[in-house]
Amino acid sequence: MDDRKDVLPLRIVAARFININEQAGLTELDRITADASRIIRKRYAILLVAFAVAILTTGITLIPGLFLVASETPGAEVALIVGLACFALLMAILALWRSFQYGGLKASAPQKPVYADADDPAARNLERLFAVLQLESTPRAFYRLRNGTRCYVDERYFFGSLRAAHVSKSSTLRDALFGPTGFWFARELFLEADIDQLITSAKARPNRTGAPKTYDYTDAVMSLIEHPSVRALQIGKRGNQKQIVALLEDWYHSRRGPAPSETQLSLYAKQILDVIAKNRATKS
């Protein structure tokens, strides 16, 4: 039986759970994780700003407070109390994010996942994969060290509400994860298993259409003509491609339709920027 086992990135396993056509499954997976990332990033950005402010205020109050107490300066206790309060706020922010992910400070039970549309058939199939991975009896997922050594993770890594980030192509999204026994965990995960058997045992229903989705690129690009953000672009400036991708994604989602993968949009954004650069060079 073991000769049927494959060692695959968890992302590829998830794509197979979603669609029998692996590439179509990856496209769907990119859409799901992109939608989830918008929800995650909004809350994460707020807490990240609060965390940075808390670190700054802790640094400028707690450390001087300790020195003042050590030198027996009158009123030093007040500065120390303020510093300790800032440090407590810092810990509270970390605890809040961890609680959002695991429902508490410990990963003790699977949480309700964060998806833009939990009833999306692709998202439901993805959850069937996570439901299997949440069992102790399932083959363990693992990550690799630089020397190739496997480090296996237990089922609690898939208890968090942000578990969709584990199969995201974007490491930026994975950077938002806490591990169940520590701090940030952004490793790419792999799985060694008989994938077909895993799909059967999970009672997943991969989409069998197999045909790649078609996207209305023409209307999407037309929406960028005379767009204020596009007109304001400075040719050659870093971040232009990312901005074009975001505008295209917004257009697709405003139409409540599926968006191409981030990779597809990045290639198209590059072509758009090349055309803009040529047109502006001609005018000058």
Side-chain angles (χ1 to χ4, degrees):
M1 294 294 292
D2 288 348
D3 60 347
R4 292 189 60 192
K5 290 184 177 180
D6 297 312
V7 178
L8 296 170
L10 189 60
R11 173 176 166 80
I12 299 298
V13 177
R16 292 192 182 180
F17 262 69
I18 291 171
N19 199 302
I20 59 171
N21 181 297
E22 186 177 296
Q23 189 55 52
L26 287 170
T27 299
E28 285 289 279
L29 192 60
D30 284 341
R31 177 181 60 79
I32 293 171
T33 55
D35 288 344
S37 73
R38 289 184 181 85
I39 301 172
I40 295 170
R41 282 186 295 186
K42 287 179 182 178
R43 184 171 300 200
Y44 186 72
I46 294 172
L47 289 179
L48 188 62
V49 171
F51 183 74
V53 172
I55 286 181
L56 179 62
T57 54
T58 298
I60 63 178
T61 56
L62 183 58
I63 296 175
L66 291 171
F67 277 110
L68 291 174
V69 169
S71 61
E72 299 182 353
T73 303
E77 293 80 4
V78 175
L80 182 60
I81 290 172
V82 173
L84 290 173
C86 292
F87 180 74
L89 176 61
L90 183 65
M91 293 298 101
I93 293 170
L94 290 175
L96 183 62
W97 183 250
R98 189 175 187 84
S99 179
F100 168 62
Q101 185 175 344
Y102 291 114
L105 295 183
K106 291 182 66 176
S108 57
Q111 300 300 303
K112 183 178 180 180
V114 171
Y115 292 114
D117 181 7
D119 293 326
D120 183 342
R124 289 202 300 268
N125 273 331
L126 183 56
E127 273 305 294
R128 290 185 177 98
L129 168 61
F130 288 133
V132 170
L133 294 174
Q134 288 162 4
L135 303 175
E136 288 189 55
S137 57
T138 303
R140 290 282 180 266
F142 62 90
Y143 60 90
R144 290 191 173 105
L145 300 179
R146 289 182 180 274
N147 61 7
T149 302
R150 293 184 183 185
C151 294
Y152 289 88
V153 301
D154 63 40
E155 70 280 1
R156 292 175 298 162
Y157 279 78
F158 306 103
F159 283 3
S161 60
L162 312 183
R163 51 185 173 266
H166 281 304
V167 291
S168 171
K169 190 174 184 179
S170 170
S171 61
T172 302
L173 182 56
R174 296 199 303 271
D175 284 338
L177 293 179
F178 266 145
T181 57
F183 287 103
W184 278 276
F185 181 84
R187 300 277 191 171
E188 181 180 11
L189 293 175
F190 298 84
L191 190 67
E192 180 177 12
D194 182 336
I195 306 304
D196 292 334
Q197 180 59 41
L198 204 62
I199 290 173
T200 300
S201 63
K203 298 181 180 178
R205 301 178 182 84
N207 191 330
R208 296 183 177 276
T209 56
K213 289 184 177 292
T214 56
Y215 302 99
D216 196 343
Y217 288 115
T218 303
D219 284 353
V221 173
M222 291 290 285
S223 72
L224 300 186
I225 296 177
E226 297 299 318
H227 192 289
S229 297
V230 175
R231 294 180 65 184
L233 288 177
Q234 298 178 24
I235 298 302
K237 185 178 179 181
R238 187 174 181 179
N240 281 350
Q241 185 169 317
K242 188 174 182 180
Q243 188 172 349
I244 293 292
V245 168
L247 290 171
L248 289 171
E249 285 182 335
D250 288 343
W251 183 87
Y252 281 108
H253 290 292
S254 70
R255 298 298 186 276
R256 298 186 179 277
S261 68
E262 186 174 344
T263 301
Q264 289 174 295
L265 288 178
S266 294
L267 293 173
Y268 216 69
K270 185 177 184 302
Q271 294 178 19
I272 292 172
L273 288 170
D274 289 343
V275 172
I276 292 174
K278 289 178 182 178
N279 287 343
R280 292 188 182 179
T282 302
K283 290 181 179 179
S284 62

